[in-house]
Amino acid sequence: MAEERILNRIKAVLAEKGKTNLWLAEQLGKNKSTISKWCTNDQQPSLETLFDIAQELGVEACELLASGKTKKEH
């Protein structure tokens, strides 16, 4: 069984900022299911969208990137 890689920290940063998936979906004009897929690392946003997310959350884009560990290593 292949281990899943955690590529982004969008879910964690949303929680740190007290924001929800629905709030982010509204800010970006995206479907809430798309945001959910990003938060679970099932899909990844484009690089441009990652910068848009960072801007909405008031963080640097690099804060949205994970260290590269797998879910099992966490």
Side-chain angles (χ1 to χ4, degrees), residues 38 40 69:
W38 296 342
T40 58
K69 294 181 180 180

Side-chain angles (χ1 to χ4, degrees), residues 3-72:
E3 295 179 10
E4 294 181 47
R5 291 187 67 189
I6 298 173
L7 300 175
N8 76 61
R9 300 184 58 250
I10 296 171
K11 182 177 181 177
V13 176
L14 280 170
E16 290 167 9
K17 297 290 184 174
K19 304 292 185 185
T20 65
N21 291 13
L22 181 58
W23 174 86
L24 186 59
E26 290 170 352
Q27 301 308 304
L28 298 175
K30 302 282 186 185
N31 189 297
K32 63 183 180 179
S33 66
T34 299
I35 307 299
S36 179
K37 289 175 186 176
W38 296 342
C39 288
T40 58
N41 277 274
D42 290 336
Q43 289 183 348
Q44 300 303 317
S46 69
L47 189 56
E48 181 178 349
T49 302
L50 191 72
F51 278 90
D52 291 342
I53 295 167
Q55 182 175 2
E56 292 296 336
L57 291 171
V59 299
E60 295 293 325
C62 62
E63 293 180 53
L64 298 174
L65 300 175
S67 65
K69 294 181 180 180
T70 62
K71 287 184 180 180
K72 191 172 184 178

